[in-house]
């Protein structure tokens, strides 16, 4: 996944239901890795929910590219 991709959010959060559509604005790795597992190096994506001005941060495992 990279910025500009249209995605579907698979995990519900407060104010954002599951299966919402969003646009990835920014992707980056955590500043500090704790441990050597794959989960510690997973990208964090900043997404803008379509139909609102909200931006949220999600892990890659909670998103799927449309």
């Amino acid at each position: 996944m990279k910025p500009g991709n249209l995605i579907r959010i698979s995990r519900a959060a407060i104010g954002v239901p599951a299966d919402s559509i969003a646009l990835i604005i920014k992707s980056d790795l955590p500043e500090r890795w704790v441990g050597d597992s794959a989960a510690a190096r997973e990208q964090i994506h900043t997404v803008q929910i379509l139909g609102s001005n909200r931006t949220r941060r999600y892990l890659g495992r909670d998103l799927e590219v449309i």
Side-chain angles (χ1 to χ4, degrees):
M1 284 184 254
K2 60 184 180 179
N5 283 356
L6 194 61
I7 51 100
R8 181 182 318 271
I9 300 170
S10 60
R11 177 179 288 212
I14 296 174
V16 182
D19 295 331
S20 295
I21 306 296
L23 181 70
I24 296 179
I25 297 173
K26 180 174 137 183
S27 296
D28 49 32
L29 289 171
E31 290 183 19
R32 180 178 155 173
W33 292 350
V34 179
D36 196 27
S37 66
R41 296 186 301 269
E42 192 166 356
Q43 282 189 327
I44 298 172
H45 303 282
T46 304
V47 302
Q48 182 173 7
I49 312 300
L50 295 183
S52 70
N53 286 335
R54 291 185 207 177
T55 57
R56 302 276 314 235
R57 294 173 54 164
Y58 286 95
L59 292 174
R61 64 179 165 218
D62 299 330
L63 307 173
E64 60 184 66
V65 177
I66 294 179

